[in-house]
Each structure stands twice: as structure tokens, then as C-alpha cells.
Amino acid sequence: MKTLHMSVRKVGLGVVSALLATGLSTTTLAADYPSKPIQMIVAFGAGGSTDTMARIFAKYVEEELGQRVVVVNRPGAGGELGWVHLANAAPDGYTIGLINSPVVEVYPFTREESVGYSLDDLRPLANVITDPGMLVVAADSPYQNLDDFVAAVQSDPESIIVSHEGIGGDDHLAALNFAAAADIDLNFVAYNGNAEATASLLGGHITAFAGNMSEAVTQIQEGKARGLAIWSEERGEPLPDVPTGREQGYDVQAAASRGFAMPADVPQEIYDLLLEASRNVIDNPEFRAEMERLNMPVDPIYGQDYVDFIDASHTRLKALWEQDPWVEQ
């Protein structure tokens, strides 16, 4: 088993704190890292695409680090609860978390008075995938395309309900952009994860699911759901029959980027070790093959480039919010 650590000597958190207090070099601490299992926080429920990606990544990064990586689901408030937990974790390298862009960037200004973290509390490590958004209905839905859907909303707006995974998330923003392009108002309901939303869609409790390609592919290919549109410049390779929004006259672009972050004050040496491990996982042909099977487009962004990506997204979205705040629904 491949490993990045140089010693199996056990170092407790109290000892680490004491060593830091006495000024011992963090290089020495990194030499003992990791000496125990690492917790990976997923801010959404089990069974969705975010959780699935995290568990596969954890399997491969275990091989790199020589320690267990334990996935812990902490859903709630559209991801905020999990990211608060990540931001408040000890910066010792034993807690990492999956972050979802753009939603992780928007809460610090859309929930400014109540949010429990800021971007300064997190240090992005590596983006892994970028997953285009979609609007999906059940297979027995009468709506065959976006025009059908728009006509239904115009005829009886209260009867049309669209799911998403959090206010200000990519799903919610994509649906709002579509609503603006179509000059309609949509009724929304939020779920803690894709698994809940999919079950609700297939059970006939909601009209449409605003999600990502990887979350919808299986249901569409099995004939249980129908993709009305994919919010990308081109059709998705695994769903060649699903037209883009632009093809149908609605120029909407939206995607979710999923990667990993750590508490902000993690020692540089430990950050670098985890960055190297992340690169090795993402470059691993077996990992990429698993992502391809799950229709999750690999889109690596590493280290400072990922920090800059998150910061730029935050700046752009905050400017949009200040010009025209989207309404929480």
C-alpha cells in the first residue's frame, strides 16, 4: 500500500497542540502524518452524487495515505451545517470536507447575518469534477420539452413544483435563470440530497428535479425519467438525446463543481501532502474510469488555482446578488 507518512508513531491531538505551542517545526509534525484515520465531511445526505463521489475518492486516497478515510454525512441547511463543522474542525489534517461550488461561496453573503462560516475559514485543496445541470421530469410526465413545461407553468403555476438541494446552490440558480429566461415564476422545494429528490420525483410528489447530469443519467437511461434540458454548451455525452437549453431558446448555463477543502490554518506541510495525494488519486486511471462510469466529468483544479477559482466565483456571484438578490423560496 502506497503511503506518504514517514512514521507510525502515534501522536494525539493534545501532543500536537503542545508541540505547536513550544514552536516545534510543522515539518516534524508532517513527518508523523497521518497516524490515525481521517474524517471526510460530506455536507449532504447519503446516496446522492456528492456522497458517491466522496466515498470513491476516499477509497483511493486511503491507498495514498495508508490510513482509513471515514466519510461522515452532515446534511442540513443546504450544505451549510457540514461546512460549519469543517470550518470549526481542528486544523490538524484529520478533517477534510467536500465542498460544492457555487453554493459554498454564496452563503457568506446570502445568509450574512446567520451563516456559521466564511470562506476565510476554509482552504480549498482540489476540485475533482464539474457536473452540468439539468431539468428532469418523470417518464410519465406530459412535458416533452421546455416549451411544454413553460406552457404548463403559465397555465397553472401553483401546480408545478421544482426541487433543488439548497437556496443559492447551482441547481436553484439554474432554475431561477431558466425562470427568468422564460418569464415565469417557479415553486421550489429543497431536499438534503439527490436521493430524496429523486424518490420524490418518481413518487409523483414534485413536477421536476433541478439537479446535475450525473444524478439523472441512470434514471433517464432506465426509462424512469426524462431530461427536458441540459444547461451546458453541448449535449452531454451519456445523454445525446437530451437537448441543451440553448437549443430550445433558453440560454442557461449551469454546473456544479465538487472538490475538497480543509480548515484554513492547516500546516502547509500537511496541506502539501494531501494535495499530492489528491493529484495522485485524480491521475489514477482506475479512479477516472469509475468517474466515467458514473458520468461525472473529471475537471481537476489544484491548490492556489482552486483557491482563486472559489474566490473569483464568490466575487462574481456577490456582485450579481447585490444587483438583484434572488429570493429565498
Side-chain angles (χ1 to χ4, degrees):
M1 180 177 290
K2 187 175 181 180
T3 179
L4 293 176
H5 64 285
M6 298 171 62
S7 169
V8 295
R9 182 168 59 89
K10 299 296 182 181
V11 181
L13 290 181
V15 175
V16 170
S17 299
L19 291 175
L20 289 174
T22 59
L24 189 64
S25 167
T26 54
T27 301
T28 302
L29 299 180
D32 295 298
Y33 176 86
S35 59
K36 64 179 183 179
I38 295 168
Q39 177 179 245
M40 178 185 287
I41 297 173
V42 174
F44 296 93
S49 59
T50 296
D51 177 70
T52 299
M53 193 210 86
R55 292 179 186 276
I56 294 172
F57 191 91
K59 176 181 67 175
Y60 285 91
V61 85
E62 283 182 343
E63 298 176 4
E64 296 293 325
L65 298 176
Q67 280 288 352
R68 287 185 62 212
V69 177
V70 181
V71 175
V72 179
N73 296 93
R74 292 186 176 274
E80 181 185 343
L81 296 185
W83 297 324
V84 168
H85 189 87
L86 174 62
N88 291 329
D92 54 15
Y94 289 99
T95 302
I96 62 176
L98 198 146
I99 58 173
N100 301 61
S101 175
V103 64
V104 73
E105 295 103 290
V106 304
Y107 290 166
F109 57 83
T110 61
R111 304 178 179 182
E112 187 173 4
E113 295 182 359
S114 62
V115 69
Y117 74 94
S118 75
L119 291 184
D120 290 338
D121 298 325
L122 303 173
R123 188 173 182 188
L125 183 69
N127 188 66
V128 182
I129 68 169
T130 297
D131 197 356
M134 293 190 67
L135 186 69
V136 179
V137 296
D140 59 0
S141 168
Y143 315 126
Q144 302 294 321
N145 51 50
L146 291 182
D147 283 344
D148 288 350
F149 188 84
V150 170
V153 176
Q154 292 171 334
S155 174
D156 186 7
E158 295 301 318
S159 69
I160 307 299
I161 302 174
V162 180
S163 75
H164 61 80
E165 292 186 13
I167 299 295
D170 65 290
D171 306 329
H172 181 239
L173 293 178
L176 286 180
N177 287 336
F178 165 56
D183 194 24
I184 57 175
D185 292 321
L186 294 174
N187 294 319
F188 291 105
V189 60
Y191 290 91
N192 281 327
N194 166 63
E196 290 182 12
T198 300
S200 189
L201 176 69
L202 299 182
H205 305 296
I206 57 176
T207 312
F209 162 63
N212 299 107
M213 182 180 71
S214 68
E215 299 168 331
V217 167
T218 299
Q219 304 297 339
I220 293 173
Q221 290 179 339
E222 291 180 351
K224 298 177 181 178
R226 177 186 306 121
L228 296 187
I230 186 167
W231 307 127
S232 57
E233 293 185 1
E234 299 178 351
R235 298 189 182 198
E237 184 176 340
L239 296 172
D241 295 331
V242 177
T244 67
R246 179 178 294 173
E247 288 178 63
Q248 301 177 73
Y250 305 90
D251 192 6
V252 178
Q253 306 289 311
S257 293
R258 303 186 188 108
F260 293 93
M262 306 179 70
D265 294 329
V266 63
Q268 184 65 43
E269 290 77 6
I270 290 177
Y271 179 88
D272 289 343
L273 284 169
L274 284 170
L275 182 58
E276 179 186 351
S278 298
R279 285 181 183 273
N280 291 341
V281 170
I282 295 171
D283 288 343
N284 187 324
E286 294 181 3
F287 173 78
R288 286 184 174 250
E290 291 207 48
M291 293 296 98
E292 183 176 356
R293 283 194 292 272
L294 292 169
N295 302 292
M296 295 185 181
V298 176
D299 181 28
I301 310 173
Y302 298 112
Q304 187 59 46
D305 288 341
Y306 189 34
V307 174
D308 293 343
F309 171 85
I310 295 293
D311 286 346
S313 176
H314 173 265
T315 299
R316 174 177 54 83
L317 291 168
K318 185 176 182 181
L320 291 174
W321 168 263
E322 291 173 346
Q323 292 173 9
D324 186 18
W326 49 84
V327 178
E328 293 202 6
Q329 301 184 56

